[in-house]
Amino acid sequence: MGSRKKQMADAIKEGKKQVAFAKLNNCPTSPRKMRLVADLVRGEKVEHALNILKFNQKEASGKLEKLLLSAIANWQSKNEDANIEEAELVVKEIRVDGGSMLKRLRPAPQGRAHRIRKRSNHVTLVVGANNNTQS
């Protein structure tokens, strides 16, 4: 491997060390309901985001809180020597995508049937250290 290529690979590797992610697949909640809670914590500091999720009454907030704790643990396993409080972790990215749908039939008047779509979603949460210090 050439020297420039090795330097670039080391820089990319060091950059990936600063971020960690966690995924939640096939969560049986509609993506629209999950996005309402996800929008509350996007861009927030991790401590503040955990407080928001802990005291929010929506069902999706409990699942997102668990996912955020998992992402923090993933970051800690990558950076064993670093301290979480000093790193000032931030929710860099949170994506809620639609998952698979269960299609069911509900009886309707006059012998008809209406289709019910039970939606699910996939959530990807990225946590990273806040490099730019703002006052």
Side-chain angles (χ1 to χ4, degrees), residues 56-124:
N56 196 340
Q57 294 182 349
K58 295 195 178 289
E59 183 187 351
S61 64
K63 295 175 181 177
L64 279 182
E65 181 184 8
K66 195 172 176 182
L67 186 68
L68 181 57
L69 289 171
S70 173
I72 293 169
N74 292 344
W75 186 88
Q76 201 168 19
S77 69
K78 274 186 174 180
N79 305 291
E80 292 163 348
D81 54 333
N83 190 0
I84 293 178
E85 287 81 22
E86 293 172 5
E88 293 183 5
L89 291 180
V90 175
V91 178
K92 286 198 170 194
E93 181 183 344
I94 182 165
R95 245 188 355 259
V96 181
D97 302 319
S100 59
M101 269 188 270
L102 295 174
K103 292 176 179 157
R104 301 289 181 257
L105 292 176
R106 168 156 293 163
Q110 297 181 353
R112 296 190 189 102
H114 290 179
R115 181 169 283 164
I116 301 292
R117 293 183 302 242
K118 297 192 174 198
R119 300 176 187 269
S120 67
N121 63 56
H122 306 310
V123 184
T124 306

Side-chain angles (χ1 to χ4, degrees), residues 1 16 18 29 37 40 42 46 76-77 82 117 121 125 128:
M1 180 182 294
K16 284 185 178 179
Q18 294 300 315
T29 310
V37 182
L40 294 175
R42 184 175 286 119
V46 168
Q76 201 168 19
S77 69
R117 293 183 302 242
N121 63 56
L125 194 141

Side-chain angles (χ1 to χ4, degrees), residues 41-52 68 88-91 130 134:
V41 298
R42 184 175 286 119
E44 295 286 338
K45 289 187 177 179
V46 168
E47 296 87 11
H48 189 88
L50 282 171
N51 285 334
I52 290 171
L68 181 57
E88 293 183 5
L89 291 180
V90 175
V91 178
N130 194 7
Q134 298 173 350

